[in-house]
Amino acid sequence: MVNIVQIGYGYWGANVARNIAASEKTNLCALVDTRKDRLQLAERNFRNLVEYQTDFTPYLNDPNVDAFALAIQTEPSFEIAEKIMNAGKHLFIEKPMASNVQNAVALNELSKQKHVVLHVDHIMLYHPIIRKIKQMYDSGELGDLIYFDISRMNLGPIRLDVNAMLDLAVHDLAVIDYISGGKEPYHVEAIGEKHYGNQETLTYLTLKYDGFLAHVKSSWISPIKERRTMIGGTKKMVIFDDMKTVDKLTIYDQGIVDASEEYGQYEFKARSGDITIPYIPQEDALRNSIEYFAYCVENNLQSISNGDHGVKVIRILDEAKRKLIIND
Ligand SMILES: NC(=O)c1ccc[n+]([C@@H]2O[C@H](COP(=O)([O-])OP(=O)(O)OC[C@H]3O[C@@H](n4cnc5c(N)ncnc54)[C@H](O)[C@@H]3O)[C@@H](O)[C@H]2O)c1
């Protein structure tokens, strides 16, 4: 059982706390938020099972606390994350890991220096459908990767400290890194539109990797919520629609085949095949992420969404931010 103090009980922090409290692998010792109204709300949910504080610092030296979960806005989270790891405590940090690559690198290095588990909550890596797609790619069932076409759109919330890309595409870049086995893009392009604040509320990101392409659309100004990942492989293609309650994954045994023997040079034809929807039991990706973090802490293991992985994702987003400025 890993004893966790959570900092931040906002919109997402409420989900994190609920899962930490409900899991048999973790114990929610305390909730910290600078807003008293949020703590009052938390108290209605957790009663006297946890402590409620506005200051996290006394817990840094508490030997009964193994780890912290940090679920506050990105900008102020850097300094707090440093304090937590400097105190030798393990850290579950919400995405994005940092607002720039310098801070991400600093956190990653600190985690290594202090020998603590740094787990970035790239929640999609712990989603059963992404796990299934990863297995399909690793076993050769998908073939070589050709493209990722990803759309993550909803109406709000408009964040003030990061843009839509840092808020949303961060999930998709983590997924591409995970499925492709750590490939990094050699070319990044991005365009965006600033409406309702200083940050881009809509961004289109295009990335060229060795052998495949990715297009990632992130929006806070869409009338509909969409969470769709289409992946084209040379053998099969898949669509993961996370807005569906069931049947989220569709596998297309379809593609393009070389028909040059039949037609002569440079002739290709479409190959149609079965369309299948595999049964994949539902799992809560956030619960998986938290329990996997606890497993890493208890067994002294590196998380798959560790600092190295987090830095790679933020490095791409930093490059994309530069392109947003150039293309503005
Ligand atoms: N993994 C995911 O899928 C996912 C989904 C949504 C949000 N998030 C991330 O979760 C984080 C929080 O997002 P949110 O929507 O809950 O934000 P929010 O603004 O709703 O909540 C943030 C909370 O942190 C508190 N806080 C801020 N600074 C603090 C400090 N120094 N000490 C204590 N409390 C402090 C605020 O009072 C607030 O209650 C963000 O990093 C966001 O990107 C992750």
Side-chain angles (χ1 to χ4, degrees), residues 6-16 32-38 53-56 70-77 80 92-96 121-124 152 157 159 161-162 166-167 170-171 286:
Q6 182 178 321
I7 307 174
Y9 189 77
Y11 152 71
W12 186 249
N15 295 328
V16 177
V32 180
D33 201 298
T34 42
R35 278 179 53 184
K36 291 242 170 69
D37 60 320
R38 293 303 303 178
Q53 297 294 341
T54 50
D55 179 15
F56 67 93
L70 193 47
I72 66 172
Q73 293 87 343
T74 308
E75 214 38 81
S77 79
I80 298 178
F92 175 102
I93 189 169
E94 264 313 328
K95 62 80 204 165
D121 186 27
H122 286 160
I123 188 173
M124 298 313 293
R152 200 172 282 276
R159 296 185 185 275
D161 58 339
V162 293
L166 238 81
D167 183 35
V170 66
H171 288 297
L286 178 57

Side-chain angles (χ1 to χ4, degrees), residues 35-306:
R35 278 179 53 184
K36 291 242 170 69
D37 60 320
R38 293 303 303 178
L39 291 178
Q40 279 158 6
L41 183 68
E43 206 165 351
R44 285 207 288 279
N45 292 328
F46 301 106
R47 309 282 163 184
N48 57 359
L49 294 174
V50 305
E51 293 175 15
Y52 304 93
Q53 297 294 341
T54 50
D55 179 15
F56 67 93
T57 50
Y59 294 110
L60 292 174
N61 299 317
D62 186 337
N64 296 321
V65 173
D66 304 303
F68 282 76
L70 193 47
I72 66 172
Q73 293 87 343
T74 308
E75 214 38 81
S77 79
F78 173 67
E79 264 183 43
I80 298 178
E82 275 193 321
K83 285 185 182 151
I84 290 168
M85 289 193 285
N86 267 320
K89 305 291 185 192
H90 305 287
L91 177 59
F92 175 102
I93 189 169
E94 264 313 328
K95 62 80 204 165
M97 177 188 177
S99 51
N100 60 59
V101 76
Q102 289 83 0
N103 288 359
V105 167
L107 293 183
N108 187 26
E109 282 175 2
L110 187 57
S111 73
K112 290 177 181 174
Q113 195 190 323
K114 294 287 174 186
H115 304 290
V116 295
V117 174
L118 172 60
H119 171 93
V120 185
D121 186 27
H122 286 160
I123 188 173
M124 298 313 293
L125 271 49
Y126 307 99
H127 195 297
I129 305 280
I130 293 298
R131 199 166 61 225
K132 165 77 180 168
I133 297 172
K134 167 82 174 150
Q135 283 160 0
M136 288 178 70
Y137 175 62
D138 287 350
S139 69
E141 191 182 345
L142 265 187
D144 295 332
L145 294 168
I146 308 173
Y147 63 84
F148 287 77
D149 191 301
I150 307 180
S151 177
R152 200 172 282 276
M153 318 198 294
N154 35 267
L155 197 58
I158 308 281
R159 296 185 185 275
L160 302 175
D161 58 339
V162 293
N163 61 20
M165 192 173 69
L166 238 81
D167 183 35
L168 301 175
V170 66
H171 288 297
D172 308 312
L173 297 176
V175 162
I176 296 169
D177 180 75
Y178 174 61
I179 290 179
S180 72
K183 288 238 175 116
E184 292 179 63
Y186 63 81
H187 186 77
V188 174
E189 273 303 331
I191 52 171
E193 198 55 44
K194 280 182 195 164
H195 273 280
Y196 316 109
N198 275 338
Q199 303 280 351
E200 287 81 7
T201 42
L202 170 67
T203 57
Y204 297 137
L205 186 57
T206 310
L207 310 132
K208 185 77 182 81
Y209 294 76
D210 183 19
F212 67 93
L213 191 73
H215 183 66
V216 181
K217 185 160 68 175
S218 312
S219 175
W220 291 327
I221 50 171
S222 161
I224 55 154
K225 184 165 177 172
E226 197 169 77
R227 296 276 183 270
R228 205 181 67 126
T229 301
M230 176 158 52
I231 304 174
T234 50
K235 290 188 184 160
K236 289 187 182 174
M237 299 179 185
V238 296
I239 296 180
F240 165 29
D241 186 347
D242 207 8
M243 290 317 295
K244 288 188 180 170
T245 43
V246 288
D247 302 341
K248 287 171 185 264
L249 180 66
T250 309
I251 301 172
Y252 297 80
D253 186 4
Q254 300 178 351
I256 303 293
V257 287
D258 185 347
S260 46
E261 277 194 14
E262 211 176 315
Y263 297 112
Q265 232 179 348
Y266 306 128
E267 285 287 347
F268 298 92
K269 68 178 183 185
R271 179 184 63 79
S272 299
D274 289 343
I275 301 171
T276 49
I277 297 174
Y279 170 69
I280 298 173
Q282 293 220 5
E283 290 171 29
D284 185 327
L286 178 57
R287 176 72 68 90
N288 286 346
S289 177
I290 289 166
E291 292 190 343
Y292 172 68
F293 167 67
Y295 176 78
C296 290
V297 167
E298 287 196 316
N299 295 285
N300 205 12
L301 294 171
Q302 289 261 332
S303 161
I304 55 167
S305 54
N306 63 5

Side-chain angles (χ1 to χ4, degrees), residues 302-321:
Q302 289 261 332
S303 161
I304 55 167
S305 54
N306 63 5
D308 288 344
H309 162 83
V311 166
K312 280 166 80 184
V313 170
I314 299 295
R315 182 163 286 128
I316 301 168
L317 288 165
D318 251 24
E319 173 69 13
K321 264 197 281 181

